Amino acid sequence: QVQLVESGGGLVQPGGSLTLSCAASGSIASIDATRWYRQAPGQQRELVATISKGGTTGYTNSVKGRFTITRDNAKNTVYLQMNSLKPEDTAVYYCNANTVTEGYWGRGTQVTVSS
């Protein structure tokens, strides 16, 4: 079992920055990859960024060059640094982690980009 808790969301003006955190507990050594997803109202949940167990990262095109996913193994935490935020980045952001057999989700954190 893996438990995930997101934090760091909030209200930010266009062009601003936020850093989201995803703290993991439980069977952390079994995690293969950790991902950030987001879901805007009325839209499907979309994959934003991925970091593998080996540290390989990937991003959806709309956030490349603006978002950075990192991991602090000592703190069992994955971060999503978000810069140059746009109103279209407004969504609930979810952390997801998968093992060989299971996928786990956090409850999400709201990010609102508005002036």
Side-chain angles (χ1 to χ4, degrees), residues 27-95:
S27 302
I28 298 166
S30 64
I31 295 174
D32 282 340
T34 305
R35 300 173 178 86
W36 284 98
Y37 285 78
R38 66 186 179 187
Q39 188 168 20
Q43 297 188 19
Q44 291 188 331
R45 193 171 295 189
E46 69 165 339
L47 177 61
V48 176
T50 302
I51 186 164
S52 73
K53 192 170 190 175
T56 302
T57 59
Y59 303 90
T60 191
N61 285 338
S62 62
V63 308
K64 283 181 180 177
R66 301 189 298 123
F67 290 11
T68 304
I69 187 170
T70 59
R71 183 178 59 226
D72 185 333
N73 290 329
K75 295 183 178 180
N76 298 323
T77 300
V78 169
Y79 302 96
L80 186 67
Q81 173 69 42
M82 306 186 294
N83 298 325
S84 302
L85 283 162
K86 305 175 181 180
E88 50 264 43
D89 294 317
T90 295
V92 178
Y93 284 71
Y94 297 91
C95 183

